Amino acid sequence: MSRFIERTESPAGKTAQVAAPAVRPGATLAVTSAATALALMTYTAPMVTLAGTAAELHTPLSAQAWLLNGTPLGLAAVLLVAGSLADDHGRRRVFVWGTLALALTTLLGGLATTTLAFTLARVAQGASSAALLASSLGLLVHAFPTPHGRLRATGVWGAFVSAGIAVSPPLSGALPDWRLVYGVLGAATLVVAALAPRVLTESRSPRGGRPDLLGAATFGAATVALIAALTLGRDGWLRAPVGLLLVAAIALLAVFAAVERRTATPMIDLALLRRPDFLASSLGGLVTGLAVIGLFSFLPTVLQRTLGLSPMDTAWLFLLWSGLSFVVALQARRLAGRVPPRAQLALGFALHAAGALALLGAVDAGSWQRMLPGFVVSGIGSGLLNAALPLLAVESVPAARAAMGSGAQQTLRYVGSCAGVALTIALVTGTGGGLARGADLAMVVSAVLAALGAVLVGVTHRKNGARVA
């Protein structure tokens, strides 16, 4: 355990030394990783149960994207705000409240009887997950102040991102009812929320000044408008509501940028965009959402509808992809010092592109066995991405703003995932020739986006002499 000393001024004017609460690195890593895994399990729960959930809630095909995009909408809208609040007002406080809120909103999602109620619960789950995900990396940076310790901690945390994705499909497929899935996840999250205050040590990096309420409001509104436009766009990009939402998103982002330049305590320092590592982290998060999460969020539903696979069959198949991602992410920390995080990102995108192309023709052939090589290659690539992204997010910003850096990268990740899901559904269901042909087109687009991501991340480089303070 590590312990630090705080200095206080006594009434007599003498300086006294007070021992601050001991930091428990192992317990901090365990609790934040467990909460992260549960957040990702909640996020991916509808992947193999979408057909059953949509049928019970009488959700039309045109609205099913909302069942998937509700959680990333909440995530993208709140992550940056949550990261800034965690750094300024207490990372443990934001983490505990976020974990508790996730438990309650997950239980409410299991009780929903309409598409609207379920979607609202999913949005609330996303907002709650944003609080715990953004603050967890800030807690880890405080608990592991050395570069070696930070490398180990972010590697394990990134592996548990993959673990949550890996465990959720088999759990969802094994339980007899999708509502029970949310009951189990909600109860497990309540346990973590109860443990968190006992093992976590509060930390913050207050900057003084007033909270950036206008920045939070404009950014949240811009994100909601953008994701709503992306989700509605699958039914026609030239419709008036889509155009109005896109214009509103652009206008609100412009206002947000102006606010951030003028306020003394901005949610995000826009000067960070000049840092190559921060830019690579942001691009990496965006392309991961677009290319990887977008494709694999809807692909289970495609396989159930075309190959007749049961939810459990689909879960085991996707466990190959997500399980490999977990193993690779856990071991990727051994590459430190030999392979920079940006190079890991570029390699991860290249492997996903190769894996997506290897999936071509499998759906039309009616053979899930033909998909195995593509799942293996893409799973390895996904593991590299999940290991490199959190490390790059915290290394690309000053240590005092670690939660903000995490929130910025993950915001773009989930904005990208919303766009990716909407794009994948539009390609699969809107292409002449049936679902098989549409799936092949979605795989090609995913591969192209990943290849572009590899190039963009690869060409960013640290400027000579540029270091993160």
Side-chain angles (χ1 to χ4, degrees), residues 298-323:
F298 193 65
L299 194 54
T301 303
V302 174
L303 298 184
Q304 290 175 28
R305 292 178 179 175
T306 56
L307 304 185
L309 296 179
S310 68
M312 195 62 196
D313 292 336
T314 310
W316 286 119
L317 182 59
F318 276 78
L319 181 61
L320 175 63
W321 169 70
S322 53

Side-chain angles (χ1 to χ4, degrees), residues 109-332:
L111 299 174
T113 57
T114 66
T115 298
L116 177 60
F118 182 78
T119 300
L120 291 176
R122 293 280 293 168
V123 173
Q125 288 165 23
S128 305
S129 297
L132 74 89
L133 289 173
S135 57
S136 60
L137 281 176
L139 288 166
L140 290 179
V141 169
H142 176 69
F144 295 87
T146 66
H148 177 74
R150 191 174 302 168
L151 170 67
R152 171 178 171 268
T154 55
V156 172
W157 187 89
F160 271 82
V161 171
S162 298
I165 298 172
V167 173
S168 183
L171 174 67
S172 301
L175 294 176
D177 185 76
W178 65 269
R179 296 183 185 276
L180 187 57
V181 175
Y182 289 90
V184 171
L185 292 177
T189 309
L190 273 177
V191 173
V192 176
L195 289 174
R198 303 184 181 188
V199 302
L200 299 179
T201 302
E202 186 61 282
S203 67
R204 57 174 64 87
S205 302
R207 297 170 293 174
R210 298 179 180 179
D212 185 15
L213 297 180
L214 182 57
T218 53
F219 183 81
T223 305
V224 171
L226 176 61
I227 293 174
L230 294 173
T231 304
L232 294 174
R234 64 170 299 275
D235 293 324
W237 293 102
L238 299 179
R239 294 185 302 145
V242 177
L244 290 174
L245 285 168
L246 287 173
V247 170
I250 294 171
L252 287 166
L253 284 174
V255 173
F256 171 73
V259 169
E260 297 306 279
R261 289 191 181 96
R262 293 174 180 271
T263 184
T265 54
M267 283 202 310
I268 182 171
D269 182 359
L270 297 180
L272 289 171
L273 293 173
R274 302 191 190 101
R275 293 186 174 185
D277 279 356
F278 184 81
L279 190 58
S281 171
S282 301
L283 286 171
L286 179 64
V287 177
T288 297
L290 274 170
V292 183
I293 300 176
L295 177 65
F296 281 95
S297 291
F298 193 65
L299 194 54
T301 303
V302 174
L303 298 184
Q304 290 175 28
R305 292 178 179 175
T306 56
L307 304 185
L309 296 179
S310 68
M312 195 62 196
D313 292 336
T314 310
W316 286 119
L317 182 59
F318 276 78
L319 181 61
L320 175 63
W321 169 70
S322 53
L324 274 171
S325 177
F326 169 71
V327 173
V328 171
L330 198 59
Q331 298 301 318

Side-chain angles (χ1 to χ4, degrees), residues 360-385:
L360 290 174
V363 176
D364 191 39
S367 172
W368 62 265
Q369 292 89 344
R370 280 190 53 182
M371 307 190 82
L372 297 180
F375 274 62
V376 169
V377 175
S378 182
I380 295 172
S382 180
L384 290 173
L385 295 175

